Amino acid sequence: MAADPQRGPKREMSLERIVDAAVQIADADGLGAVSMAAVAARLGYTTMSLYRYVSAKEDLIQLMQEEATGLPPESVREADGWRAGLVTAYRASVQVYLEHPWILDIPITGSPVTPNSAAFMDVMLDALADTPLTEDERLAAVLQVTGQARWYGTILAAYSRQARERGMSPEEISAYEDQLFASLITAEEYPALRRAVDAGVFRSEADPFRFGLDRTLDGIAAYIAERESGAAPVPSATWLEPAPAGVADDKRYREARKAVREAEKALRAARRLERQALTEARQRAARARRDA
């Protein structure tokens, strides 16, 4: 860290000022607008002077994420019970994404290793400390909640960006999407989705993300109840196995995967024709009954 600001009209540069300036740029114009040159210009210094404090842009972005994330609110630890604690942390995480949506553009490279990110995981794990869940199960529950918060933040940030760019309210965007789906989704090709559109799901005020979170927590609560009654932990199986080293680059493997995708595409087309033929057959049968 730099020393205390020196006397004079221009304050001495510091790591904190660099990070604050970078966060302000990202908040206003997105992560893509952040560069060492842009930050230096905002502070009134040369680009090279920043490298005395930050060795690379990647390091700056990590510091920006840490600053924007902040510490989890004390209300998480003060919540009454594990469920309320996880919901409070979920809301706090979503709020971070709303205030700093550019965080969602930072690639995930592994588990959080910065103090504030780790603090969020710590308070959520602590909320589950008095449950009979194993440490693996507690982490799995936390990952479920944080994953849903990130997905919710992604959607909300996208809608907020659309609202700014189009000058539309959230209600107007929902109405536009409803009209778009109603014009593009046919009962012949997408019967289930068409029923949902006709039912007004895109105009509904219900929060599907809160519904998903509540059902996830219901499932965890039911599992905790089973464990409290004496049931043993349920071992988790791995569903997806990564391809062995070198397989993904194998020519025959790539050709086989391409053939599978083409077969799946042909199957979807055949099912679409089947649905169209069924619809036409029903229409002919209905006309025959009317003419009889």
Side-chain angles (χ1 to χ4, degrees):
M1 298 296 180
D4 292 335
Q6 297 175 346
R7 295 180 180 179
K10 183 179 290 187
R11 292 175 55 194
E12 181 180 348
M13 192 186 303
S14 68
L15 186 60
E16 294 95 329
R17 290 190 64 206
I18 293 171
V19 174
D20 286 344
V23 168
Q24 291 171 14
I25 293 173
D27 286 346
D29 301 313
L31 188 63
V34 177
S35 66
M36 300 296 273
V39 175
R42 190 178 188 90
L43 293 171
Y45 288 90
T46 64
T47 302
M48 290 305 300
S49 63
L50 264 65
Y51 287 98
R52 294 171 46 217
Y53 300 85
V54 184
S55 58
K57 180 182 175 181
E58 291 73 19
D59 296 332
L60 175 60
I61 290 176
Q62 187 175 46
L63 292 169
M64 291 167 56
Q65 182 177 13
E66 175 74 354
E67 173 68 18
T69 300
L71 289 170
E74 282 300 313
S75 54
V76 179
R77 296 190 186 277
E78 296 169 355
D80 184 16
W82 66 266
R83 182 165 184 154
L86 294 185
V87 170
T88 304
Y90 170 89
R91 289 174 174 168
S93 298
V94 172
Q95 188 62 38
V96 169
Y97 295 135
L98 284 175
E99 295 176 359
H100 309 286
W102 50 267
I103 292 180
L104 297 163
D105 296 327
I106 301 176
I108 297 176
T109 57
S111 300
V113 293
T114 56
N116 290 346
S117 297
F120 262 90
M121 292 192 69
D122 183 73
V123 295
M124 297 175 75
L125 289 170
D126 186 60
L128 295 162
D130 293 332
T131 68
L133 300 181
T134 66
E135 293 295 343
D136 284 344
E137 292 168 342
R138 291 172 190 170
L139 178 60
V142 169
L143 292 177
Q144 279 290 313
V145 175
T146 56
Q148 291 195 41
R150 185 179 181 87
W151 177 235
Y152 193 18
T154 299
I155 298 301
L156 291 180
Y159 272 82
S160 178
R161 183 168 57 251
Q162 284 192 61
R164 290 195 306 270
E165 294 175 352
R166 298 183 180 184
M168 300 170 64
S169 68
E171 293 76 15
E172 290 172 333
I173 293 177
S174 296
Y176 168 79
E177 289 184 340
D178 180 63
Q179 294 173 1
L180 183 64
F181 272 87
S183 63
L184 296 179
I185 301 302
T186 64
E188 290 75 21
E189 291 189 277
Y190 312 100
L193 181 55
R194 181 68 211 196
R195 288 194 298 271
V197 172
D198 292 339
V201 295
F202 293 100
R203 301 188 305 272
S204 173
E205 296 182 358
D207 186 345
F209 300 96
R210 181 56 193 267
F211 176 87
L213 176 66
D214 286 341
R215 300 297 75 75
T216 296
L217 296 179
D218 286 346
I220 294 174
Y223 183 73
I224 288 176
E226 290 180 5
R227 293 294 310 283
E228 288 175 339
S229 66
V234 177
S236 299
T238 301
W239 288 1
L240 302 177
E241 293 290 347
V247 170
D249 297 326
D250 184 83
K251 182 179 179 180
R252 292 183 62 187
Y253 175 76
R254 293 200 308 270
E255 291 175 347
R257 291 295 303 162
K258 181 180 179 180
V260 169
R261 289 193 294 270
E262 290 176 349
E264 291 172 341
K265 182 179 179 180
L267 178 61
R268 289 195 296 270
R271 286 176 173 168
R272 181 169 61 251
L273 292 174
E274 179 188 31
R275 289 193 295 268
Q276 291 174 346
L278 177 61
T279 299
E280 292 171 358
R282 288 172 174 170
Q283 291 173 347
R284 287 194 296 269
R287 287 196 297 269
R289 287 193 298 270
R290 287 198 303 270
D291 296 340

